[in-house]
Amino acid sequence: MTFPLDDFVAKARAEKHSQAFIDETTAYIQQLEKNKLPVLFTLEHLCLEVRVNIRRFRLLLSSSRVDGYARFKIKKRRGGYRTIHVPDNDLKYLQRWLMHNVLFQIPSHSNCKGFDPGTSIKANAAEHLNKAAVLKIDLLRFYDSINEHRVCAIFKQMGYHPNFAVYLAKVCTIVPDNNFFIAFKQNELKLRDQIHGSGQGILPQGAPTSPKLANLVARRLDKRLTGLAEKYQVAYTRYADDLTFSGERATLQVMKKVVYRIIRSEGFFVNLGKTKTLVRGNKYLVTGLSVDNAEVRVPGHIKKEIEHHIFHCVKNGAHIHMIKSGIKNRNFKDWLLGKICFVYDIEEETGRRYLEDFKRIQWQI
């Protein structure tokens, strides 16, 4: 929606604002419209535009913001757990509005392959097809390493007034409490102390704005790593906290330490325990997909599992198959359909065949 600039200027003059104020505000409005961003001045203006309760959000943002989130834990495969903060309905609604109307107007780096329209794990894996070797590097606690100050800088770069950018950053971050820090492992203590010492909010894992904001904060990292990859003539992509390089194995080994230095200089941390170099002939996966042929494929063990369940469900009925296999998952039907849809997204022809077989299953007792 185009901002009614002429009406705004006329009202400003009627209220006897100075010409300097009018000129400065006009430039602000024009810059935001040039960037295809909604014109917003204050937190009150944002809440009025989105139609949410300003009093409630003023109270929320004056605290650590934890009251706006429900918290739960998810176990990690390698031990420990990650804390998920899910915003309540009002806050989630506001964050989604910001995501669609503000954040998605700014492109992430072209080598970022996740959490933007048109990106996917398949697009990420496709950049590394049929390469001699793959180097995979994981960023340690990616969201936790992005603080309120860095988020505020993103909104200021877009063109929003610094004072308003502070409020936007607070809407999208949370100040962790002591319970949050309990889950940090020995190799994460430096980051823990950094977060605790700053007293700033961080990106909550579970907020709809966090993935896109992380992508925007990581743009300079992506730019520098892309330049390094071009220098060494290898491919580079990032999917959230997963960095992937592919090319000749010797080249990847030479550049690995330089990659580490760039990551650290950009304010991120390397999860050294998850760094892997893959070579052809072994398990060759990028974001969970096989890249050792001319096309991105779903790993064979996933398809075999689906085919096993479909075969026995069609032959004996789903109820009998679940009893014989000891399957106690009440959502088994949805689980199997979800697996099939995943295959369909990657290998459409195979997925379509699975869907046809799925329709033949007798689900009633």
Side-chain angles (χ1 to χ4, degrees), residues 230-292:
E230 290 173 351
K231 177 181 177 181
Y232 282 94
Q233 297 184 321
V234 302
Y236 162 72
T237 61
R238 179 179 60 80
Y239 187 92
D241 56 357
D242 292 327
L243 313 182
T244 307
F245 301 83
S246 61
E248 296 299 322
R249 183 180 184 182
T251 303
L252 296 176
Q253 291 300 109
V254 167
M255 66 182 288
K256 182 164 64 174
K257 290 185 178 180
V258 184
V259 173
Y260 286 171
R261 286 202 299 270
I262 291 175
I263 291 171
R264 289 164 181 151
S265 70
E266 288 298 325
F268 297 103
F269 294 78
V270 179
N271 191 344
L272 296 173
K274 285 191 174 181
T275 295
K276 294 180 181 179
T277 301
L278 312 177
V279 293
R280 301 282 301 273
N282 297 303
K283 197 173 182 179
Y284 212 59
L285 305 177
V286 172
T287 43
L289 300 174
S290 176
V291 294
D292 60 352

Side-chain angles (χ1 to χ4, degrees), residues 153-166:
I154 291 296
F155 287 114
K156 287 195 290 185
Q157 289 167 16
M158 291 178 180
Y160 287 109
H161 190 280
N163 292 343
F164 181 48
V166 169

